[in-house]
Amino acid sequence: MRDQHICLDEQLLLFMDQLEALEEKRHKLNSLIEEGWFSIAKARYSMGNKQVSSLQYASEMEPLVHVEDSLMESGTVEFKCNRAENKTDELTKNNLIEDIGVKEGGLRRRINTKQKENKEEDASEQQETDHQGKTKTESPTPENRDPLKWFGILVPQNLKQAQVAFREVITLSAEIASIQSAILATRKEMQAQMKEKQEKTGKTKPEITKE
Amino acid sequence: MPGRGKLIAVIGDEDTCTGFLLGGIGELNKNRKPNFLVVEKDTSITEIEETFKSFLARNDIGIILINQFIAEMIRHAIDAHMESIPAVLEIPSKEHPYDASKDSILRRAKGMFCAEDFR
């Protein structure tokens, strides 16, 4: 019984620590978001109302950030942000592999008409010359997919500052999501232990009254 | 067991969506539906709720970010979501600061204590 009380107290302290951590991260998230809005407003003031709006969104977008979720044994889910900048090495490796594949495909397509063959020979020659120095430009790199480019080639510093702020917000969001999941798991565990404690005290009370 | 990379979805006003898209979370191509919704004055609650439910149904979304004032409009749908993935995170908007007493997660955590538990 005493062990159960100690366990319950430890769970309660853990719960309070988690709430405190959540409160701290929330405060930081909220202030970063406000900083981001302020920077966007300043950029809009210098560029014009319609230049910084949903009208400027690209018609095709590729995400530069992904979230990895891993389910732990305790039932909590941990979220971790991964940016595309960390994967540039993998991209260049993939580009090399794809280039080799395309070359072989060019050779295979020579069954078609002579005109196509000539075009393909030219294309494969171009690929051979381009292969050495230009692998990065053949497929979109994170630099080419930068959302800042939707708003123009030369964007004000304020818009870049907004981007930096929101990138931090995204990383913090993943951390807050992990803490929220931990809080709910701790709550569930505590409720189970409280219920167990109440059942035990309910059983021991009749014994006390008999004595 | 770690999962593959998932997306972050956002349901918010124009500035909120612009900010997060600048951060690089946006996905939009011919084959797939976007992972964001810009809520304007004329956006209906039905549309917001349908978008939220569509995000919940997708298995490639890990976190849903939503302005708290929009979350209030579809509170019943958010409270009904009990799974841990995707995680729903309420964020402030320019005109409505964050209110912890309205947050679904904190309301669930707050409601667990009563006087009898401390006897």
Side-chain angles (χ1 to χ4, degrees), chain B residues 11 19 29 32 68 74 83 88 101 106 111 119:
Chain B
I11 301 174
N29 57 41
R32 286 155 61 83
Q68 196 169 50
I74 56 167
E83 285 91 40
V88 179
S101 65
L106 291 180
R119 285 185 190 169

Side-chain angles (χ1 to χ4, degrees), chain A residues 26 44 57 61 64 67 83, chain B residues 6 15 18 23-24 28 90:
Chain A
R26 270 259 170 224
R44 187 176 284 129
Y57 294 172
M61 298 176 195
L64 302 178
V67 153
R83 285 215 158 257
Chain B
K6 292 188 177 180
D15 273 7
T18 302
L28 178 61
E90 294 178 30

Side-chain angles (χ1 to χ4, degrees), chain A residues 28-42:
Chain A
K28 196 173 173 188
L29 180 99
N30 293 345
S31 49
L32 274 171
I33 288 182
E34 284 165 16
E35 195 183 303
W37 286 328
F38 193 43
S39 300
I40 288 174
K42 283 196 251 184

Side-chain angles (χ1 to χ4, degrees), chain A residues 38-48 51-52 156-160 162:
Chain A
F38 193 43
S39 300
I40 288 174
K42 283 196 251 184
R44 187 176 284 129
Y45 180 74
S46 58
M47 291 173 76
Q51 292 305 312
V52 184
Q157 198 62 26
N158 292 319
L159 208 57
K160 292 180 187 175

Side-chain angles (χ1 to χ4, degrees), chain A residues 43 46-47 51-52 56 146-161 163, chain B residues 22:
Chain A
S46 58
M47 291 173 76
Q51 292 305 312
V52 184
Q56 298 300 320
D146 188 359
L148 267 177
K149 294 187 190 278
W150 306 340
F151 301 95
I153 297 165
L154 287 173
V155 294
Q157 198 62 26
N158 292 319
L159 208 57
K160 292 180 187 175
Q161 285 168 355
Q163 188 181 50
Chain B
L22 268 175

Side-chain angles (χ1 to χ4, degrees), chain A residues 85-96:
Chain A
E85 288 146 2
N86 299 333
K87 294 179 185 177
T88 46
D89 291 338
E90 289 176 20
L91 276 172
T92 50
K93 281 179 193 170
N94 288 338
N95 292 346
L96 289 169

